[in-house]
Every structure is written in C-alpha cells, then in structure tokens.
Amino acid sequence: MTRDSGGIAVKAGSGRMRDGVEERPLRQYLATMAAAFRGSPLRRTLVLLAAGIFAVILATAYGQIVLNGWNRPFYDALQQRNMQAFLAQLLVFFEIAGALLVLNVAQQWLNQMLHLRLREALTRDMIDEWLRPGRAFCVARRGQIGVNPDQRLHEDAHRLCDLSVDLGVGLLQAGVLLASFVGVLWALSSGFVFHLWGAAFQVPGYMVWAAVIYSGTASWLSWMVGRPLIALNGDRYAREADLRYSLVRVNEQIEAISVASGEADEARRLQRDLGAVILATRRIVSATIRLGWVTSGYGWVTIVAPIIIAAPVYFGGDMTFGGLMMAVGAFNQFHASLRWFVDNIGSIADWRATLRRVAAFRLALLEADTADGADDRIAFTRSPEPAIVIDGLEMDVPDGKIRLSEPHVTVRPGDRLLVTGTLGAGKTLLTHTLAGLWLWGRGSIQLPRDAGLAVVVRDPYMPLGTLRAALCYPRDVDACRNEDILKALERAGLERLSSLLDRNARWEHELGNDERRMLSIVQLMLHRPDWIVIDDIGDLATGGNGERIAAIFREELAGSAIIAMGTEEMQGDLFERTIPLVRARHRT
C-alpha cells in the first residue's frame, strides 16, 4: 500500500501507467460505459433511436442493391444508343434516388438525435456519480485521475458521444452493405471467364477475393501506421486539460496575482502549458500525415482498381460495358465497407483515447469508496444516541498520523469543544474527517442518526444566484423567512447586505473572505443545526467578531453542540473543553 502526495492510500498495481493513471483493459472501459447507459433513464429513447437507424440502414442497403442493378440496363442502353431505353432508365433512377434521399435525410435526423440523447445520458450519469456525497473530494485527491474533472465531464464526454455515434453508425452501415453486396459481387464473378494461353478457366468469387485482399492489405498497413495516434491523442487531451485549468486558475486568482506583480511569472507558466499543447498537437499532425500517405494513396488507386481487376474478362469479350459498370459499382460498395477501418483509423484512435479518459474517470468515481483496504479506513456509524462519539481516531497523512490526545471523546448537545494545534497540525484534516470526507486512517466516529451536521470551512462556498438563495443553501429559498434573514444579518453585523438579498451576483467576488465566513454564521442561525464543526475559529473571530460570535453561540445556537478548531489562545468562557491534536511521524 502506497500513498500519493495528498496522503491518500492507493493500492500498488502492476498495470502500466499513463499520466499517473493505471491502464485498464479495453473491455473494462467498455463495460463501465455500458453500465452507465443501462442505468440511464434515457435508455429506452436510445434503444428506439438505434433501432430506427438500423431499420433505415437496412432499407438504404436494399436501395443501393437496386441502384447497382440499375447500372446494367442503363449503361447497356448507352452502349446501344437506345434513346427510349435510356429515358426509361432515367425515370427509374429518379424513383430510386428519391427514395434514397428520403432515407438519407431520415438517417441524418436520427443520427443527430442519437448524438444529443447519448451526450445527455452520459453527462447526467457522470455528474450524478461525481457529486455523490464525498466522492468528488476523494477523487480530487487521488492523483492525476482527479485533475480537471470539468474537462472529462464536458469536452471529453461530448467528444466520446460524437465519435461513438459516428463510428458506430458507420460500422453498422459498412457491415450491412458488406453483407448485402457480397452476394451480388459473388454472383457477378460467377460469369467471369479468363482466357490464358488458349485455355479458359473460372475463379469462383473472383471479385470478392480481390476486394478482400485489396482492402485487407490497406487495413493492415493503416493500422500499423496509425496505431501511435491512440497514445498521442490521449496525451494531447491531457495537455489541453492542463492549459485550460491554468487559464481558469489565473482568472480566478487574478487579484492576488496582480497585487503580487506576478503576471510575468504566470505568463511564463501559461506559455509553458501552451508549448506542451503545441508539441502534442505537432506529434499528432506528423502521425496523421504519415497515415495520409497510406489512406490517400489507396484512395487514388481505388478509382481504377475495380476496372483493372475486371478488365481481363471485359477485354476477353465475356462482359458487356453495362456488366462491367455493374461489377465496378458492386466492387466499390463492397470495398467501401471493407475499407471502413482504413478511412476511420484516425477517428478510432481518437475514440479509444477519449474512451480511456472518460471511462477511467468513471471507474475512479465508482471505486472511490472501495479502492482501499478496509483496515486503512475510518469507520463511520449512525446511532440513536444524541452524541458524537470518537474512538481511537487516527488520521493518516504522508509523513505519519494525526490523532486527538484523548482516545475517547464524547460530544453531547450543547457541548463546546475546542481542538487545538499549531499551523499544519491537522485541524482542517479533522474537520474533513468529521464531515465524512477524509476516510483514511483507523478508529471510529459515531454520529447521531437523523441529526444535521453543519461544517463551517475557511473558504465558504457561495452558489450562483441571489444572496437570499445563498443564505438558504442547500435548502430551498422558500425555507427561510425574510424576517429571520434580516435578523440574522443584523446579529452578524452585516446589515448592509439586507438590500442586496435579491440581487444575482458571483458573491465569492463581491464579498471578502471575512464577510463570507460571517455569512456562514448567518446560515447557522437560519438552519439551527444540532451539531456544528468549525474550521479555524480564531480566523473567524478576528476583530470585533469575537464577542458577536460568542453571543450568537450563547443565544441563537445555545442548543447546538460545537466542535471548533483553533489555537490555545482561543481558550476562554466559550469552550468547556480543550483537546490538543498530536502528530506522530513515520520512523526513518
């Protein structure tokens, strides 16, 4: 068992690593994505759209066979200069083309709807799995797999759905056309007679075997040349995600960067990330050009290949011009189906790279609660007893473990407990542990059943929307009465915000950290939780806020149990007990 830089236990695997993430078999990636769609509420819609596409492709294949058969009488009429037969065949062509046009438009609409619904189903599933209680927090601290989840949920999921639909429909269409035209091409080849040195002989299915050999060679060579694109595309997506994260980070921290005159340093960082993206993209361009020599070369040869293959029979006088064109048409349809792999090797490589990023992230989400051994996890239980009971708690960190100086701690309603420690002693870690986010260590935490636990962090979250909605969060805005909000703001010394309650804004930019932390106290007064955990009470109670918070704890929150993290200087009448944190380091 090893630990990453965030202190989280990670099983040491024997699989190959890429970008810090262990490689999984392709079947495992496919299985997790299939499970996502099986459990989706849009599953029925997806099945109906796929069935509709399949039906349209079958009908189109039949129309293509009819159109291929039309080649013989049409070109024979041209060869014979028969105007009446020529005009009759033109009418037949427009009837066939009209039907195929309707089918093509129907398939295009079904394709677009499948794109849309598939993306909706996948993104909804990923969001639901990501935002299950505690999962996003855990995965964010499990190394590279937790970096840039927004990229995987948005761009990568979108790209995966587009590629899956395009490649899936294309492969299905190629398979149906292949099955449809193999019989046609075999039947046409049955009449081919070769004359060589005065002897005549036949090769059963001659055009079929020629198409198989021709397309098989192209597919094999394309795979050998294009295979590196799988790894190169995966690397490019990772570098793109790094650049996007850096840009967002600079934008979010622009005030601090500007105050520190750090623009030049951040510009160098962004330029370095951009350089990594450019380098990864240039490698893809080089690999794509190499692949282009193969695919384009075969594309040009294919223009004359079926004519060259059938030429000995035609020049031997055993085939009419119409028969030659019918054979060429059937060969092209058959060959187009066989060379689907050649035409899509780049997209297949892109699809595999994108599948890996999305599926690996989903697997990490699903395994977030079970990835580590049970012996290294803190046990969380619920009890009808109105108390928080902490027994033998030890929290693992990279260089050792952190524990309370008392092995058994019980906190009952109305209790006031101050947990003390110096900077870096692990007070925030204990806050995360009591909130059920940090799972790695030993011991147990027993929480009251059906009792609300509120956690006040150093950097409170302010959702987008009105200030009123932010104060009521995560409850509905109607759950908070206006008079209660106004009274709570006054008690917290934030009366100036009373006129801004219904204003929409990004409040994390509008308000300073001190005001946002005091708004957390306002939330506590509105929600009246039974159990409260506060990270860094000393920072919260700076200036004139100390007496104000103490009064709120004595009056509005008198019945709530409070566990606060702070320093020894915070000891006073507000807290009944003080328990220090103890850090034990690994022996070297």
Side-chain angles (χ1 to χ4, degrees):
M1 191 77 69
T2 60
R3 299 190 182 277
D4 68 7
S5 60
I8 292 181
V10 180
K11 283 187 176 179
S14 59
R16 186 164 62 93
M17 303 294 287
R18 182 185 296 171
D19 293 334
V21 181
E22 184 177 353
E23 281 285 306
R24 308 287 186 95
L26 178 61
R27 63 178 180 275
Q28 193 168 359
Y29 292 147
L30 293 174
T32 189
M33 302 316 298
F37 294 119
R38 281 198 302 269
S40 172
L42 294 173
R43 178 182 58 184
R44 179 181 175 85
T45 301
L46 294 173
V47 171
L48 290 175
L49 287 171
I53 290 175
F54 182 63
V56 170
I57 288 176
L58 287 178
T60 302
Y62 176 76
Q64 293 284 2
I65 293 174
V66 174
L67 182 62
N68 185 71
W70 167 86
N71 280 321
R72 185 193 297 271
F74 178 74
Y75 285 105
D76 283 344
L78 284 176
Q79 185 182 28
Q80 298 164 8
R81 293 180 172 82
N82 187 334
M83 178 61 71
Q84 184 177 359
F86 171 77
L87 295 175
Q89 290 303 316
L90 278 181
L91 292 177
V92 173
F93 169 79
F94 286 120
E95 292 174 358
I96 298 173
L100 287 174
L101 175 63
V102 172
L103 290 172
N104 289 340
V105 173
Q107 182 176 332
Q108 185 178 8
W109 182 84
L110 289 168
N111 281 0
Q112 294 300 317
M113 291 304 298
L114 187 57
H115 274 274
L116 181 64
R117 293 304 186 185
L118 195 63
R119 182 188 181 187
E120 180 183 359
L122 177 58
T123 307
R124 287 184 182 276
D125 171 82
M126 298 283 285
I127 290 174
D128 289 343
E129 296 295 345
W130 182 48
L131 292 181
R132 289 185 185 275
R135 274 193 180 173
F137 180 88
C138 287
V139 173
R141 283 154 178 80
R142 291 189 60 194
Q144 184 69 22
I145 192 65
V147 176
N148 304 319
D150 55 308
Q151 177 85 10
R152 299 178 191 257
L153 291 167
H154 182 251
E155 295 295 336
D156 292 343
H158 184 193
R159 181 71 174 161
L160 177 62
C161 291
D162 283 352
L163 288 171
S164 296
V165 172
D166 291 341
L167 291 174
V169 171
L171 180 59
L172 176 62
Q173 194 159 13
V176 171
L177 286 174
L178 183 66
S180 301
F181 277 92
V182 65
V184 174
L185 199 57
W186 190 282
L188 286 172
S189 300
S190 64
F192 284 10
V193 179
F194 294 90
H195 300 275
L196 187 62
W197 297 306
F201 62 94
Q202 289 183 312
V203 178
Y206 164 70
M207 294 289 285
V208 173
W209 298 120
V212 169
I213 294 172
Y214 181 77
S215 300
T217 304
S219 297
W220 175 80
L221 188 57
S222 296
W223 171 247
M224 296 302 295
V225 175
R227 183 169 54 181
L229 281 168
I230 297 174
L232 292 175
N233 275 302
D235 181 63
R236 185 193 69 179
Y237 289 137
R239 302 291 79 77
E240 293 277 10
D242 290 342
L243 176 59
R244 177 178 175 178
Y245 172 78
S246 297
L247 291 168
V248 172
R249 184 175 179 274
V250 169
N251 181 57
E252 293 292 336
Q253 302 294 327
I254 193 62
E255 180 182 356
I257 293 170
S258 300
V259 170
S261 299
E263 290 91 344
D265 184 60
E266 295 301 326
R268 284 192 294 271
R269 294 176 188 272
L270 293 177
Q271 294 287 357
R272 185 172 61 247
D273 289 342
L274 176 61
V277 171
I278 298 302
L279 178 60
T281 306
R282 286 183 62 182
R283 289 171 177 168
I284 290 178
V285 170
S286 298
T288 303
I289 293 301
R290 290 194 295 270
L291 180 62
W293 282 104
V294 177
T295 56
S296 298
Y298 269 93
W300 283 109
V301 173
T302 301
I303 296 176
V304 296
I307 298 177
I308 294 173
I309 291 171
V313 180
Y314 177 74
F315 287 111
D318 295 310
M319 178 188 292
T320 65
F321 182 66
L324 174 65
M325 298 310 295
M326 184 176 177
V328 168
F331 179 94
N332 285 333
Q333 290 287 358
F334 187 75
H335 169 67
S337 301
L338 285 177
R339 66 167 282 144
W340 176 88
F341 184 80
V342 178
D343 294 334
N344 292 279
I345 181 63
S347 296
I348 292 171
D350 194 359
W351 172 80
R352 283 197 60 173
T354 311
L355 172 68
R356 177 189 171 276
R357 284 181 57 81
V358 176
F361 185 67
R362 188 175 191 273
L363 284 170
L365 294 174
L366 297 176
E367 296 168 357
D369 301 330
T370 59
D372 305 302
D375 293 340
D376 291 321
R377 296 171 70 86
I378 300 167
F380 289 85
T381 60
R382 291 282 182 175
S383 170
E385 181 183 357
I388 293 177
V389 181
I390 304 172
D391 266 322
L393 178 64
E394 291 183 346
M395 300 166 289
D396 287 342
V397 291
D399 58 348
K401 57 187 178 182
I402 297 172
R403 60 180 174 82
L404 294 168
S405 62
E406 298 181 17
H408 181 85
V409 177
T410 300
V411 181
R412 301 190 181 279
D415 286 355
R416 302 288 191 268
L417 172 63
L418 177 65
V419 178
T420 62
T422 58
L423 182 65
K427 300 187 294 295
T428 297
L429 184 64
L430 178 59
T431 301
H432 292 159
T433 303
L434 292 173
L437 299 177
W438 190 266
L439 312 174
W440 296 271
R442 283 151 296 281
S444 65
I445 297 177
Q446 177 183 294
L447 300 172
R449 184 178 300 161
D450 301 327
L453 175 69
V455 180
V456 179
V457 297
R458 293 184 179 183
D459 189 13
Y461 172 65
M462 300 289 290
L464 296 174
T466 65
L467 182 59
R468 185 188 304 276
L471 293 174
C472 296
Y473 183 85
R475 298 179 183 177
D476 188 78
V477 67
D478 296 331
C480 302
R481 297 189 306 171
N482 187 64
E483 52 268 32
D484 292 337
I485 295 176
L486 296 177
K487 181 180 178 181
L489 288 173
E490 182 181 358
R491 289 284 285 155
L494 299 173
E495 301 94 329
R496 76 172 189 87
L497 300 179
S498 299
S499 60
L500 305 177
L501 286 175
D502 295 310
R503 176 186 165 194
N504 282 281
R506 295 186 62 179
W507 294 106
E508 71 275 14
H509 292 166
E510 296 278 334
L511 305 175
N513 186 261
D514 291 344
E515 287 182 308
R516 286 188 282 120
R517 293 208 73 186
M518 284 305 296
L519 285 177
S520 297
I521 302 300
V522 173
Q523 288 180 311
L524 295 178
M525 287 188 281
L526 293 174
H527 299 160
R528 302 293 176 94
D530 298 317
W531 312 90
I532 301 172
V533 177
I534 302 177
D535 188 17
D536 198 0
I537 185 69
D539 183 61
L540 179 61
T542 56
N545 289 333
E547 288 298 325
R548 187 176 288 114
I549 291 174
I552 292 172
F553 284 176
R554 286 193 300 268
E555 298 173 21
E556 281 83 357
L557 302 176
S560 301
I562 298 176
I563 303 175
M565 313 298 156
T567 59
E568 293 181 357
E569 290 77 12
M570 291 302 302
Q571 297 179 15
D573 296 337
L574 182 59
F575 297 100
E576 304 161 352
R577 286 187 295 164
T578 299
I579 300 178
L581 279 172
V582 179
R583 177 185 284 264
R585 299 187 180 277
H586 289 308
R587 294 181 180 178
T588 58

